[in-house]
Structures are given as C-alpha cells and as structure tokens.
Amino acid sequence: DVLVVNAGIGVFGDPLEQDPDAIDRLFQINIHAPYHASVEAARRMPKGGRIIVIGSVNGERIPMAGLASYALSKSAMQGLARGLARDFGPRGITVNVVQPGPIDTDATPADGPMQELLYGFMAIKRYGRPEEVAGMVAWLAGPEADFVTGAMHTIDGAFSA
C-alpha cells in the first residue's frame, strides 16, 4: 500500500573534475531507481496507495558550488512526483516528495564540519531530526493525505526560504 523511496547518494565537487562514471551512478541511484520502483509499486498498489520519495532541499536551492549533479538528481524527483501524480491519480494513488534540509544523520552529522555554514542559511539554527522527517512521511502515508499528491513537502528549518 505504501512505497517510501529513501535511497540516494551524493557526488559533490567541481563538475569539470568529476568522474563521469560516478555521475552516471548518482543518476541511476537517485533518478532511475525511484522512477522504476514507483512504477513497479503502482502496478501492485490498490486504490489509496501512497508513493513517497525522499528528495532534498537541494532540489529547490543550491547554496554553494559543487552541488550541480546532486541538485539535478533531486530536482528530477519534483518532475517524477508531478508526472506520476497525474498518471496514477485516476487509480487513487498519491505521489509526493519529502525534501529534507540538513538532518542529523551519519551522512550529515549535526556536529560535523558543515554545521556553522549551514546554520547561516537556516532560520531554525539546528539540524532536523530523523523522526521529524519520519513524521511527515507517516502523515503522507495516512488517510489524512488522501487529497495530497504531486507536491513537494520541504522540512528544512527555512534553509530554502
């Protein structure tokens, strides 16, 4: 009944120096996999099914150099949600993207080297907590979100404001 696509990788740095194979892998994991997983899940989902893709605030905002390929992959999730919402809406299946900003995880620890820089972009001067993102996902998976589809749901402490 519910698919949450939460896989993704980052490749950062000067696009003139990045390995093309690494960028292709990034696109396969961050773009191709969510698309194919969503389509395959929809084949089996009943009316009321939910597809929720974890994107990134970097699909909306690029605060520094070196994020082009990653941002491209995450902004593609916006097109995925809008397009598949149209395709699957008649079947009663919703498709949404959750776009976290800085979240305290192993990949982006709150006490890591980017803390001060990222705080400078945020109105709420702390990293988000995984359970806050999970709460948004749970709401989108529930019956209260039956009319919510094709939308981006940003949870970022106003990082993208």
Side-chain angles (χ1 to χ4, degrees), residues 65-80:
L67 300 177
S69 58
Y70 179 74
L72 168 61
S73 75
K74 293 306 182 174
S75 64
M77 295 306 92
Q78 297 175 3
L80 177 139

Side-chain angles (χ1 to χ4, degrees), residues 21-106:
D21 291 335
I23 301 306
D24 288 346
R25 182 172 181 265
L26 169 82
F27 292 162
Q28 289 195 355
I29 292 169
N30 290 10
I31 300 172
H32 300 171
Y35 175 82
H36 292 299
S38 297
V39 169
E40 286 305 312
R43 290 183 200 282
R44 296 163 177 79
M45 279 186 176
K47 181 175 172 48
R50 303 282 190 264
I51 297 171
I52 303 160
V53 178
I54 306 301
S56 171
V57 68
N58 293 126
E60 294 282 340
R61 180 168 198 240
I62 313 304
M64 61 195 80
L67 300 177
S69 58
Y70 179 74
L72 168 61
S73 75
K74 293 306 182 174
S75 64
M77 295 306 92
Q78 297 175 3
L80 177 139
R82 290 180 181 113
L84 292 183
R86 295 273 183 195
D87 293 330
F88 301 155
R91 297 187 50 224
I93 297 171
T94 65
V95 183
N96 288 284
V97 177
V98 173
Q99 300 184 141
I103 304 296
D104 186 13
T105 65
D106 291 344

